[in-house]
Amino acid sequence: MRAFIGGHQAVSSTDFVELALGTPLELWLGVEGESEVEYAARLDAARDILADNPDLPDRVSRIAAEAIESFAPELFNVIPLPRPAGRGRQARRNGVAA
């Protein structure tokens, strides 16, 4: 079975993560042996991406939590918590009663 996300084929777990994030993992994790100049450039690019997408850390955390909850709960001894009813997280952030 083939998996496609946005017209791109995901053939590994790394592909799924990169397609979900919209950036290569190396941007956030670095690569072994990178120079100080490469490191500085990588951090500059990451800052720009975070400035343009301030909700990215929340999205990444949600993706990671959903992946753990769905695919590997036995590895992490995770017990899924019930999701709150109501209008959702965005309404609570905006101060709207759920």
Side-chain angles (χ1 to χ4, degrees), residues 1-89:
M1 183 170 132
R2 295 182 185 187
F4 289 87
I5 300 172
H8 299 280
Q9 184 176 4
V11 294
S12 69
S13 58
T14 300
D15 289 343
F16 279 104
V17 172
E18 288 180 357
L19 289 168
L21 292 175
T23 62
L25 286 177
E26 291 82 10
L27 174 68
W28 307 104
L29 303 177
V31 293
E32 190 174 329
E34 72 182 0
S35 69
E36 288 185 34
V37 171
E38 292 168 326
Y39 176 77
R42 183 171 59 79
L43 290 185
D44 284 342
R47 276 190 213 83
D48 289 344
I49 289 170
L50 289 172
D52 291 341
N53 302 287
D55 65 328
L56 183 62
D58 289 339
R59 286 188 6 231
V60 171
S61 297
R62 187 179 68 250
I63 290 167
E66 288 173 359
I68 291 168
E69 191 176 76
S70 298
F71 301 109
E74 65 281 352
L75 296 177
F76 298 96
N77 198 21
V78 173
I79 300 171
L81 298 174
R83 304 235 184 259
R87 295 184 55 193
R89 179 178 37 210

